[in-house]
Amino acid sequence: MRPGRVAVALCVVLLSGCAGNAHTKSTAAAVPTTVPAVAGPASIQQIAAVLGCKAEISVVATELRQGSCHTDQGEFRMLTFAAETGQRDWLTEAQAYGGIYLVGTRWVVTAQSQESLKGLRATLGGTIQAATGHAGHGG
């Protein structure tokens, strides 16, 4: 994936309200899972169906697709990737801004809290990762 496209996709997610706390140093912590991942990558529509919502697709590109939906548990952003390298690049950049991520095979779901991702993890598998962002800019 080209770095410019990674940055655009990252900005779309972060500007949508999933940035998390942007006033602390970056640290990522994975919550291990014993739930097996779904065989093969899940689609945005499959993820939304598990959440009980209908995805609104906002980005369709060769390297990734992005959608979002809202449930009683909050707002969810879903990304699917054409290749694992694109997913790794996106996660590397996104974690600098903080957030909570459920990471599976070529897909990522972001949410406002770890609790809101636990039910999805039970069905789709994956690993919950939490990252706090870098120090904010003064103005």
Side-chain angles (χ1 to χ4, degrees):
M1 177 184 285
R2 294 190 311 190
R5 290 192 181 177
V6 171
V8 169
L10 177 61
C11 288
V12 170
V13 170
L14 295 177
L15 292 174
S16 299
C18 292
N21 181 353
H23 297 291
T24 57
K25 289 190 174 187
S26 178
T27 59
V31 177
T33 178
T34 58
V35 179
V38 171
S43 71
I44 289 177
Q45 291 78 10
Q46 289 171 319
I47 296 167
V50 171
L51 288 167
C53 60
K54 185 176 181 200
E56 293 182 31
I57 305 297
S58 57
V59 175
V60 177
T62 304
E63 296 87 3
L64 64 87
R65 294 184 76 209
Q66 178 183 314
S68 64
C69 68
H70 185 81
T71 72
D72 292 341
Q73 293 184 0
E75 187 76 21
F76 294 88
R77 302 274 184 252
M78 302 156 281
L79 294 104
T80 59
F81 300 88
E84 289 180 23
T85 55
Q87 179 183 18
R88 279 192 306 269
D89 292 346
W90 186 90
L91 281 167
T92 298
E93 291 198 32
Q95 288 176 340
Y97 294 92
I100 307 293
Y101 313 94
L102 178 61
V103 180
T105 303
R106 294 193 347 235
W107 56 264
V108 174
V109 179
T110 66
Q112 294 296 321
S113 73
Q114 191 169 333
E115 286 298 315
S116 62
L117 292 173
K118 285 185 178 179
L120 185 60
R121 184 183 78 179
T123 303
L124 292 179
T127 302
I128 295 176
Q129 298 180 11
T132 55
H134 56 77
H137 301 284

